[in-house]
Amino acid sequence: MSDLKQLSGLQLIVVFISAMIGVGIIIMPRSLADAVDAPDLWLSIIWGFLLIGLFSMIIVQLVSRYPGQTFFEISTIITGKYIGFLLNVCYILYTLIVSAYILRVTSGIIKNHLLDTTPLSVVIGGFLIVSTYLITNGAGDIVRFFQLYFPVMMFMFIALCLLSLKDVDINNLRPVFGEGIMPTFQGIKITFFSFLGFEFLLIFSKVLGKRSPNKLRAGMWISLGLTAIIYIVFHALSLGILGLEELKQITFPTVEMAKSIEFQGFFFERFEILFLVGWLITAFTSFSAYYYAMWTGVRQTFRTKSKLFVWMVAAFIFGAALYPTGMTEVFQYSRLINYASAIAIILFPALLLLISLIRRQSYAK
Amino acid sequence: MPNKVIISVFSLLLLTGCWDSKEIEDIGVILAIGLDTGEKENEVTMTNQYVDPGKIPSLQGGEPGGKPFQNLTVSGTTFLEIIRDNSFESNRPPNYTHLKSIVLSSSLLKRERADEVIDLFVRDHEFRRTTPVFITKERVRDVLDIEPTKELFPAIQIKDLNENSFKNLYIPEQLQIGDMSKYISQEQSFLIPGMKIEEYLIKSDGAGIISKENFQFVGWLEKEDIAGVRFILNDLDGGYINLTKKEISDGPVSLEVKGGSTTYNPTITGESIMMEFNVRVNVSLAEDWGNKRDHFKKGWKKEVEKASNDQIEQAVQTVLTKAQQEYKTDFLNLSNWVRIHQPDYWKKNEKRWDNIFPEMQTKINVKTKITDFGTQNLK
């Protein structure tokens, strides 16, 4: 098990950014273009950021009342054994479908662009096994892994931005507020969920140590803000390069954007391979975060220490990831996932906090 | 110890690299594809230009054994069918990751919709968005068969055709298949750079107009019109402006375009719309056959600038007339500027744009600025 006792401020930010940025950056441009249908769609990211920042404060409040406890422990403390068990099972189901969704989309992209003839189950299985190895070593190792690959991932994003800058047609971004501010609010229902991953505060609370709530709040806003900036830059770029209408048509816009970077006869002639490698790490980190959350949930709810359980969890994720028959179905399910996550990240914490406030229960010193 | 043995044995199994490697000679690298109509009705043909690696002359001076490429033309109803049917003739499966150019025939686009024709080439991950597209009135097979003069492969010679568009205003800018797909999803008309065969050589020649109505070929812009198009599209990197004796009293004069920009100002009065083009061109005097001008004295510029303004205005007007009167098709993307500058008007009239465009009033203001006259003045 891990020796890490307390996250540093930087580690906290790195963990949250790594958990938040995942498949969203690849498919969000299309769904956002579909929902907003205006060239100023990047504004929705700001609205989504502000909204999710407010909701994250609920979680911070909850966690700081019960220092060192995860969601699964907090829920039983607040609502009692039986209701807590029910909440925990719901939350485990939520982490199951989200991790399966991330895994399926990632494998779809790997299969589409990198491993053309490898069966999907092998791609999914391989991904899962590597991640299992990581998460069984505990939170500390996960944090260190995130920290190790964070610079790689940032380098890839910055490289993609700089290299694609020359293809941007600024006219694709105009006019701002051409259709008023209302359409950009439409996009909140998409951008809001692109920040999923911040709820790991509920799971990583074990390694938060004795951090003051104010510091936690600041860390939260900083990581959400940095993620929002990365998202805005990417959306501005893909919109500038591909244009609004084209954005709606392309399955994985960001990959296509990386694909249109080309320097004839130079190392970067196939830049998308490099980019995909960098991006795979980000997908891996957010997948591992959900996988770890699920495993923690299973361990704490069913009170088991056996490592065999992790393979059962893996089997569930494996099955769920292979359940949709094709990409169209996967994208259909993503809407259901949004409802599930709204319940899991807003309703549950808010409910728990409310009950906790009414009962005047707090373990904070 | 037994563990170590097992690990070593399994490593032998797993660490043998290259088990699925392919020799480069066995990959059918395709450099160009040409799409054309077939003999029968509803039939399309596709020409694949294979690289023949054995015949590429080496630096050491291996004997040139003929053309280093081979064209295979197959007919069918869809392009994937044709690609797979290539196996009837060649055991090298076509590989499109190094595709350099796509040639479409105007007769194919007269019959079929462009969005349907390019569907496979934007859907399949092996094709890239950056491959340039060309259109020709000739048979595509004939174009791809012409032996290039400078390059080894016709595909690359074709691709290079508009590489110098920044030196010549009469060469259209490159159109990549990604741009084409962009225009199609934005439901805009557009131009595809054209080419033709002249004295056994491939030459850049005007552009084909694809109308947004059903994304079919509707007409051809001649080489002379391209300059006007580029002034309107704000696509001025370079080129020359030639003022003949007819246009300037003491001529001819050649001006080299150093840069410039076009701004657009759509104004709305009541229900009618007027588009104002402000063309700014910076030029330097490149060649002057008139010996009366003294470039060290003030005032010589006026006459030249005026003649240049007139010529550019004429060029722009010609293209606008063609777009508005002859083809009634907005292949210049002027709707884009209405969308940006007059969003409210655009929202109301987006559906009616096809009817509005031919009636739209235009005003062209050209301002040529001569900034330089060279190193010496012969007088």
Side-chain angles (χ1 to χ4, degrees), chain A residues 241-242 246 259 262 270, chain B residues 97 125 128 181-182 185:
Chain A
I241 291 170
L242 299 169
E246 187 80 337
K259 236 172 135 178
E262 199 168 69
R270 298 278 172 278
Chain B
T97 45
H125 76 279
R128 309 181 70 79
S181 141
K182 200 155 51 179
S185 37

Side-chain angles (χ1 to χ4, degrees), chain A residues 39 111-113 116 167 169 171-175 178-179 240-247 249-250 256-262 264 269-272, chain B residues 96-100 122-131 159 176-187 336-337 339-341 343-344 347:
Chain A
K111 195 168 156 51
N112 228 325
H113 293 274
D116 199 11
D167 293 327
D169 181 3
N171 291 323
N172 286 335
L173 294 165
R174 293 168 71 190
E179 298 182 28
I241 291 170
L242 299 169
L244 182 65
E245 296 301 321
E246 187 80 337
L247 212 53
Q249 311 291 336
I250 296 177
E256 283 306 319
M257 189 170 94
K259 236 172 135 178
S260 42
I261 297 171
E262 199 168 69
Q264 292 285 329
E269 196 170 328
R270 298 278 172 278
F271 180 77
E272 83 268 18
Chain B
Y96 294 96
T97 45
H98 297 274
L99 191 66
K100 293 288 182 252
V122 290
R123 192 183 293 276
D124 195 290
H125 76 279
E126 213 170 277
F127 295 94
R128 309 181 70 79
R129 295 179 66 81
T130 44
T131 317
K159 176 184 175 264
Q176 299 176 342
I177 192 157
D179 303 327
M180 201 167 153
S181 141
K182 200 155 51 179
Y183 286 129
I184 288 170
S185 37
Q186 283 165 351
E187 291 188 31
N336 215 11
W337 302 110
R339 178 180 68 79
I340 289 170
H341 292 291
D344 294 333
K347 227 168 140 187

Side-chain angles (χ1 to χ4, degrees), chain A residues 244-365:
Chain A
L244 182 65
E245 296 301 321
E246 187 80 337
L247 212 53
K248 290 194 223 161
Q249 311 291 336
I250 296 177
T251 324
F252 304 120
T254 315
V255 183
E256 283 306 319
M257 189 170 94
K259 236 172 135 178
S260 42
I261 297 171
E262 199 168 69
F263 297 98
Q264 292 285 329
F266 187 57
F267 180 62
F268 277 134
E269 196 170 328
R270 298 278 172 278
F271 180 77
E272 83 268 18
I273 304 287
L274 271 175
F275 168 73
L276 279 173
V277 170
W279 171 77
L280 271 182
I281 297 167
T282 71
F284 182 80
T285 51
S286 40
F287 169 71
S288 297
Y290 274 95
Y291 188 10
Y292 177 71
M294 185 177 171
W295 189 49
T296 313
V298 170
R299 257 188 321 162
Q300 294 186 337
T301 313
F302 300 102
R303 293 177 204 288
T304 169
K305 285 222 157 80
S306 162
K307 274 200 180 176
L308 270 176
F309 251 85
V310 81
W311 294 108
M312 265 181 64
V313 172
F316 271 110
I317 296 180
F318 185 76
L322 279 174
Y323 177 70
T325 42
M327 263 307 164
T328 320
E329 283 76 20
V330 176
F331 291 138
Q332 291 294 319
Y333 285 126
S334 75
R335 196 165 305 148
L336 292 176
I337 290 173
N338 282 352
Y339 293 131
S341 27
I343 295 172
I345 65 170
I346 303 170
L347 192 66
F348 282 9
L351 208 65
L352 290 178
L353 183 64
L354 196 68
I355 300 172
S356 165
L357 284 173
I358 293 171
R359 294 179 58 182
R360 293 170 196 276
Q361 189 185 41
S362 172
Y363 288 34
K365 281 162 205 137

Side-chain angles (χ1 to χ4, degrees), chain A residues 128-159:
Chain A
L128 203 52
I129 288 170
V130 179
S131 188
T132 309
Y133 178 63
L134 175 67
I135 66 155
T136 45
N137 285 319
D141 286 14
I142 297 178
V143 170
R144 285 204 197 87
F145 179 86
F146 285 11
Q147 208 179 355
L148 179 65
Y149 280 102
F150 189 71
V152 178
M153 151 187 152
M154 281 299 133
F155 171 77
M156 224 26 98
F157 285 159
I158 293 170

